[in-house]
Amino acid sequence: MSKEDLLVLKKEVETCTRCDLHKTRTNVVFGEGSANARIMLCGEAPGYWEDQKGRPFVGNAGKFLDELLSIAGLKREEVFIANILKCRPPGNREPRPEEIELCTSFLNKQIKIIKPRIICTLGNYATSYILEKYGFKSDSMGKIHGKVFRVSNLSTQLKIIPMYHPATALYKPYMKEVIKRDWKLIKEELK
Ligand code: URA
């Protein structure tokens, strides 16, 4: 599949009215980056600034994510950054099961088109969704952050690496170094 497939999907997502989040969104946040990315990052859902700008991770958590990407030797343009939900939950509340159910077919299509070799899941929602999608049992972030889950079958060669959500460092500053250490690991996995 190609860049064009991703653009067609983007158009479809931008007019989505499957769940009530379309009533309160300012912009859909489809995600952005390279259609040929070897690495895909998956966060939870757009926050205030993402909803305003229609781009993923452009608020405070995004600033820290940029720092983490540079630790891994990566540029935004060479990865693809997506979220579990494409529209902001009001007041940044947590995603609801029915919203995840309705929205993740778009994420699944993004994965099919981009075919990343590595998916870094940012936070609990992305981690449990992606691990379970590929047949793994999820666990607490404290136990599985920075671990590599390998999917190897006829159709898929993929590593899934659960990561703390970058926003964790904003309300628990002592976690900053733990998170940075995990991103150094990604650099090793990329070699
Ligand atoms: N948090 C997320 O999970 N995703 C974003 O795009 C921004 C903040």
Side-chain angles (χ1 to χ4, degrees), residues 43-47 50 56-57 83 165:
E44 181 176 313
E50 290 76 24
F57 283 97
N83 280 304
H165 194 286

Side-chain angles (χ1 to χ4, degrees), residues 11-183:
K11 288 252 159 349
E12 184 188 340
V13 179
E14 279 170 354
T15 54
C16 177
T17 53
R18 286 181 189 175
C19 80
D20 280 350
L21 295 181
H22 80 276
K23 296 180 185 162
T24 48
R25 75 181 174 220
T26 314
N27 286 294
V28 168
V29 180
F30 177 70
E32 65 184 20
S34 166
N36 303 310
R38 288 173 61 213
I39 305 191
M40 187 161 174
L41 310 183
C42 182
E44 181 176 313
Y48 175 81
W49 285 109
E50 290 76 24
D51 174 68
Q52 289 293 308
K53 302 200 170 182
R55 296 184 55 209
F57 283 97
V58 289
N60 285 332
K63 283 194 193 114
F64 186 46
L65 181 63
D66 287 340
E67 194 182 331
L68 296 170
L69 282 168
S70 81
I71 286 174
L74 292 165
K75 296 195 182 79
R76 263 193 187 236
E77 316 83 80
E78 59 187 321
V79 301
F80 193 91
I81 307 178
N83 280 304
I84 291 284
L85 298 188
K86 311 305 190 206
C87 296
R88 181 191 184 213
N92 294 354
R93 65 158 170 74
E94 301 200 338
R96 293 183 176 148
E98 67 274 17
E99 292 160 355
I100 296 175
E101 164 104 31
L102 289 166
C103 202
T104 43
S105 71
F106 294 136
L107 176 66
N108 292 337
K109 286 184 186 164
Q110 288 175 315
I111 294 171
K112 250 196 188 150
I113 293 169
I114 297 164
K115 293 193 195 71
R117 305 309 297 260
I118 297 180
I119 301 180
C120 289
T121 56
L122 309 176
N124 292 322
Y125 282 93
T127 298
S128 53
Y129 179 76
I130 294 288
L131 282 181
E132 282 161 24
K133 168 178 164 69
Y134 289 99
F136 297 102
K137 198 170 166 292
S138 192
D139 206 337
S140 70
M141 194 53 78
K143 284 194 184 146
I144 57 175
H145 69 97
K147 289 207 172 129
V148 181
F149 293 77
R150 288 183 168 76
V151 182
S152 179
N153 57 44
L154 281 182
S155 58
T156 316
Q157 296 295 323
L158 174 69
K159 293 177 191 173
I160 302 164
I161 312 181
M163 295 286 190
Y164 280 104
H165 194 286
T168 309
L170 304 180
Y171 55 88
K172 291 181 185 163
Y174 60 88
M175 289 298 291
K176 238 182 175 173
E177 290 313 309
V178 177
I179 299 174
K180 285 184 180 176
R181 224 178 297 138
D182 284 345
W183 282 78

